Amino acid sequence: MSGFQINLNPLKEPLGFIKVLEWIASIFAFATCGGFKGQTEIQVNCPPTITENKTVTATFGYPFRLNEASFQPPPGVNICDVNWKDYVLIGDYSSSAQFYVTFAVFVFLYCIAALLLYVGYTSLYLDSRKLPMIDFVVTLVATFLWLVSTSAWAKALTDIKIATGHNIVDELSPCKKKAVLCYFGSVTSMGSLNVSVIFGFLNMILWGGNAWFVYKETSLHSPSNTSAPHSQGGIPPPTGI
């Protein structure tokens, strides 16, 4: 049987070249989402005790359990006699974020395995009927899961922007007191998270497009391998015993 032998020719074909693009796109997908850290700030004062604005900050990031992100005043500063650490942001979006990132990591690993198969065991892949079929099924499933995971993550991202934006002033109990004046300060730019959504849909397009090239290698499209003279010396297999 064929052993491991490097053959870079498959990378010049659409099947291998698109797989490289899928591998790169999956890295950007989980890196831009999983590596995010941000914070939202509000300005607080309570005249006449405190006339200048004091900053209260809530830090959040992947996996976006906002209901665990408490507000923190400056160290050693008592702002309006409120224990700000008892108050948190609203929402838990960890399920959508972790589903998206975990799936992207699995895709990354699968692409590595597939590329090793394409490059190191080219003849084994082309001569087999099962391997291309497995690759085709995985490609279809991955396309669907990219659509589902990215759509769920895009919806969660929209909710995260709302939960960390201007609305937090209306939701915080201390800010509803007449003696406490709260103003929304700022929130970290979520440009990298927007990029993660873009790469999610880009991955879906790549995997969907590559399905055709994988399909062409399967027995559903190509004639049965047993009909081709693959045996040594080009002699076709016997028709009977």
Side-chain angles (χ1 to χ4, degrees), residues 43-55 77-81 179-183:
Q43 304 294 323
V44 182
N45 67 68
C46 45
T49 306
I50 299 178
T51 55
E52 62 179 15
N53 289 334
K54 299 294 183 180
T55 302
V77 178
N78 180 11
I79 302 178
C80 304
D81 293 324
V180 179
L181 301 179
C182 301
Y183 307 94

Side-chain angles (χ1 to χ4, degrees), residues 41-170:
E41 298 178 349
I42 60 173
Q43 304 294 323
V44 182
N45 67 68
C46 45
T49 306
I50 299 178
T51 55
E52 62 179 15
N53 289 334
K54 299 294 183 180
T55 302
V56 180
T57 305
T59 302
F60 62 95
Y62 178 82
F64 303 100
R65 293 188 178 94
L66 300 187
N67 55 358
E68 296 180 3
S70 61
F71 285 89
Q72 302 290 332
V77 178
N78 180 11
I79 302 178
C80 304
D81 293 324
V82 175
N83 187 5
W84 291 98
K85 296 181 180 180
D86 292 340
Y87 299 93
V88 297
L89 295 172
I90 298 175
D92 183 356
Y93 306 97
S94 59
S95 58
S96 297
Q98 289 178 320
F99 176 38
Y100 177 81
V101 170
T102 302
F103 175 63
V105 171
F106 275 115
V107 167
F108 166 77
L109 296 176
Y110 177 78
C111 287
I112 293 178
L115 287 171
L116 287 176
L117 182 61
Y118 294 167
V119 173
Y121 299 92
T122 307
S123 59
L124 175 64
Y125 180 83
L126 295 177
D127 293 344
S128 173
R129 298 186 63 181
K130 291 183 179 180
L131 291 179
M133 184 62 68
I134 293 173
D135 198 14
F136 178 59
V137 172
V138 171
T139 300
L140 293 180
V141 172
T143 303
F144 174 73
L145 289 180
W146 271 122
L147 174 62
V148 173
S149 63
T150 305
S151 298
W153 168 231
K155 175 60 170 62
L157 178 57
T158 300
D159 294 338
I160 290 171
K161 291 179 178 179
I162 295 174
T164 57
H166 293 78
N167 289 342
I168 60 176
V169 174
D170 299 328

Side-chain angles (χ1 to χ4, degrees), residues 228-237:
H230 286 307
S231 58
Q232 294 183 355
I235 303 174

